[in-house]
Amino acid sequence: MLYPGPDRWAARVTIGAPTAVADALDTIFKAYDIRGLYPEEIDEAVARRVGNAFVRFTAASTVVVGHDMRESSIPLSAAFIDGATLAGADVM
Protein backbone atom coordinates (compact mmCIF):
# COMPACT_ATOMS: atom_id res chain seq x y z
CA MET A 1 0.00 0.00 0.00
CA LEU A 2 1.23 3.44 -0.85
CA TYR A 3 1.49 6.04 1.87
CA PRO A 4 1.94 9.71 1.15
CA GLY A 5 5.27 11.32 1.86
CA PRO A 6 5.76 14.20 4.30
CA ASP A 7 5.63 16.66 1.42
CA ARG A 8 1.97 15.81 0.81
CA TRP A 9 -0.71 15.32 3.45
CA ALA A 10 0.85 12.95 5.96
CA ALA A 11 0.41 15.49 8.73
CA ARG A 12 -3.37 15.30 8.26
CA VAL A 13 -3.57 11.49 8.28
CA THR A 14 -3.02 9.28 11.29
CA ILE A 15 -1.84 5.82 10.29
CA GLY A 16 -2.38 3.05 12.80
CA ALA A 17 -0.17 0.05 13.44
CA PRO A 18 0.69 -1.73 10.15
CA THR A 19 -1.21 -4.86 11.18
CA ALA A 20 -4.31 -2.87 12.11
CA VAL A 21 -4.23 -1.02 8.79
CA ALA A 22 -3.78 -4.25 6.80
CA ASP A 23 -6.63 -5.94 8.69
CA ALA A 24 -8.90 -2.95 8.11
CA LEU A 25 -8.12 -2.90 4.39
CA ASP A 26 -8.79 -6.63 4.09
CA THR A 27 -12.34 -6.02 5.30
CA ILE A 28 -13.20 -3.22 2.87
CA PHE A 29 -11.40 -4.17 -0.37
CA LYS A 30 -13.43 -6.70 -2.37
CA ALA A 31 -12.80 -8.27 -5.77
CA TYR A 32 -14.36 -5.42 -7.77
CA ASP A 33 -15.07 -2.62 -5.33
CA ILE A 34 -14.53 -1.12 -1.90
CA ARG A 35 -17.30 -1.59 0.65
CA GLY A 36 -17.52 -0.83 4.33
CA LEU A 37 -19.61 0.68 7.07
CA TYR A 38 -19.23 4.42 7.42
CA PRO A 39 -17.48 5.63 9.54
CA GLU A 40 -16.49 2.42 11.37
CA GLU A 41 -14.71 0.67 8.48
CA ILE A 42 -14.26 3.39 5.87
CA ASP A 43 -13.94 7.09 6.57
CA GLU A 44 -12.50 10.21 5.01
CA ALA A 45 -8.90 9.30 5.87
CA VAL A 46 -9.24 5.95 4.09
CA ALA A 47 -10.98 7.53 1.09
CA ARG A 48 -8.21 10.14 0.82
CA ARG A 49 -5.53 7.43 0.85
CA VAL A 50 -7.43 5.38 -1.73
CA GLY A 51 -7.75 8.38 -4.06
CA ASN A 52 -4.07 9.15 -3.69
CA ALA A 53 -2.98 5.53 -4.21
CA PHE A 54 -5.33 5.07 -7.16
CA VAL A 55 -3.76 7.94 -9.08
CA ARG A 56 -0.23 6.90 -8.18
CA PHE A 57 -0.88 3.25 -9.13
CA THR A 58 -2.66 3.96 -12.41
CA ALA A 59 -0.69 7.11 -13.32
CA ALA A 60 -4.03 8.61 -14.34
CA SER A 61 -3.91 12.26 -15.32
CA THR A 62 -7.70 12.65 -15.09
CA VAL A 63 -10.19 10.88 -12.83
CA VAL A 64 -13.99 11.03 -12.93
CA VAL A 65 -15.74 10.67 -9.57
CA GLY A 66 -19.42 9.97 -9.02
CA HIS A 67 -21.47 8.89 -6.04
CA ASP A 68 -24.93 7.78 -4.98
CA MET A 69 -27.49 9.45 -2.74
CA ARG A 70 -26.19 8.27 0.64
CA GLU A 71 -25.20 11.10 2.99
CA SER A 72 -21.77 9.50 3.48
CA SER A 73 -21.09 9.82 -0.26
CA ILE A 74 -20.45 13.55 -0.01
CA PRO A 75 -17.58 13.49 2.53
CA LEU A 76 -16.13 10.26 1.12
CA SER A 77 -16.07 11.51 -2.47
CA ALA A 78 -14.61 14.85 -1.35
CA ALA A 79 -11.82 13.03 0.49
CA PHE A 80 -11.14 10.75 -2.50
CA ILE A 81 -10.97 13.84 -4.73
CA ASP A 82 -8.57 15.51 -2.31
CA GLY A 83 -6.26 12.48 -2.36
CA ALA A 84 -6.42 12.14 -6.13
CA THR A 85 -5.73 15.85 -6.61
CA LEU A 86 -2.79 15.73 -4.22
CA ALA A 87 -1.35 12.93 -6.35
CA GLY A 88 -1.50 15.21 -9.37
CA ALA A 89 -4.69 14.22 -11.18
CA ASP A 90 -7.37 16.50 -12.53
CA VAL A 91 -10.72 15.41 -11.13
CA MET A 92 -14.13 15.80 -12.73
Side-chain angles (χ1 to χ4, degrees), residues 14-63:
T14 302
I15 298 173
T19 303
V21 171
D23 290 345
L25 294 179
D26 284 345
T27 63
I28 64 170
F29 278 86
K30 310 300 182 195
Y32 300 102
D33 60 4
I34 301 171
R35 292 183 179 265
L37 296 175
Y38 176 82
E40 294 85 9
E41 296 174 335
I42 186 168
D43 61 10
E44 290 85 349
V46 171
R48 189 172 291 108
R49 285 190 213 126
V50 170
N52 194 272
F54 178 81
V55 170
R56 289 175 184 235
F57 182 77
T58 63
S61 60
T62 304
V63 177

